[in-house]
Amino acid sequence: MAPTLLDLAHWSTWAVCAVMKLPQLAAVLAAGSARGVSVGSLLLELAGFLVFLRYQIYYDYPLQTYLEYPIIIAQDVVLLLFILRFSGNMKRALLYAVTFGGGWYMLTLRKWIIDLAMNLCTLISAASKLAQLRCLWETKDSGQVSALTWSMSAYTCATRIVTTVMTTNDLAVLIRFIAMLILNIWVTATILRYRKTKKTD
């Protein structure tokens, strides 16, 4: 039973992550605008994903426990490029690439750096969710923000809680997924609330 549950959790997470950002990308492309999507939130999310991926690789955790992260990172990069294009800030793309590339290298210069970064990663990822919530609260408009993307993020956090408990049992990783699950649900609910409010106005 346990291996079947673990395999189901892994496969469903990978399947969801393969298309997770597509609804958000489709909404931005269809509108030709990134209205409502927080660039700060996306950058923090990308930083959190990169730190988490580097941590998993550094400690040689099973590939199945983090295979979705390169896929999500690639989708986030594409989304970021479209947001920068639609906002007329494409010149910033090089700065972001250099910053993230340098950070990727520096994370593993010393063991204490990657451990500290992983602990901060939860705060960084939480800050990304809070930045999106703040954007939603300020504008009271969900704009092009995809509730489907955020609900898929919540689902993958829930499955990763299960897989973490069944494989590595790493407390820092578990705390991260629990916090992200709560915040992803909160963002999804806020998107739906403002989408409903907008339709009734």
Side-chain angles (χ1 to χ4, degrees):
M1 175 67 177
T4 303
L5 177 62
L6 187 60
D7 287 342
L8 177 64
H10 284 314
W11 280 101
S12 67
T13 299
W14 299 333
V16 169
C17 287
V19 298
M20 182 184 300
K21 298 291 180 169
L22 295 184
Q24 186 65 71
L25 282 163
V28 168
L29 287 173
S33 162
R35 184 177 53 90
V37 181
S38 169
V39 175
S41 172
L42 186 59
L43 290 171
L44 288 168
E45 178 180 70
L46 193 52
F49 286 163
L50 288 168
V51 168
F52 186 76
L53 177 62
R54 192 67 162 159
Y55 178 85
Q56 297 279 328
I57 293 168
Y58 182 83
Y59 281 105
D60 202 25
Y61 282 159
L63 181 62
Q64 304 93 299
T65 62
Y66 64 88
L67 184 62
E68 69 273 13
Y69 279 87
I71 299 165
I72 299 170
I73 290 167
Q75 291 177 51
D76 266 356
V77 168
V78 171
L79 179 59
L80 178 61
L81 290 173
F82 280 120
I83 291 170
L84 292 175
R85 178 174 172 243
F86 291 134
S87 65
N89 292 321
M90 276 303 285
K91 292 178 183 175
R92 291 185 180 177
L94 180 61
L95 172 67
Y96 295 146
V98 170
T99 302
F100 285 127
W104 177 265
Y105 169 75
M106 290 177 60
L107 282 171
T108 55
L109 289 176
R110 299 271 188 263
K111 181 184 180 307
W112 68 267
I113 296 173
I114 191 69
D115 290 340
L116 177 63
M118 180 57 195
N119 289 321
L120 294 175
C121 174
T122 299
L123 296 175
I124 292 167
S125 295
S128 80
K129 313 305 182 203
L130 293 172
Q132 184 60 60
L133 281 167
R134 180 179 173 208
C135 184
L136 290 165
W137 293 332
E138 286 176 353
T139 62
K140 297 191 181 345
D141 179 10
S142 58
Q144 309 314 316
V145 185
S146 170
L148 181 57
T149 292
W150 285 93
S151 61
M152 286 192 285
S153 292
Y155 172 79
T156 61
C157 287
T159 59
R160 282 306 177 207
I161 290 169
V162 172
T163 61
T164 301
V165 168
M166 294 177 75
T167 56
T168 64
N169 214 18
D170 185 317
L171 185 60
V173 172
L174 198 55
I175 290 169
R176 179 185 186 280
F177 283 129
I178 291 169
M180 294 312 100
L181 173 62
I182 293 165
L183 290 169
N184 282 328
I185 290 169
W186 192 2
V187 172
T188 303
T190 305
I191 292 167
L192 294 173
R193 175 178 176 235
Y194 287 128
R195 184 153 301 142
K196 189 174 186 177
T197 302
K198 192 77 171 174
K199 287 180 181 175
T200 59
D201 287 350

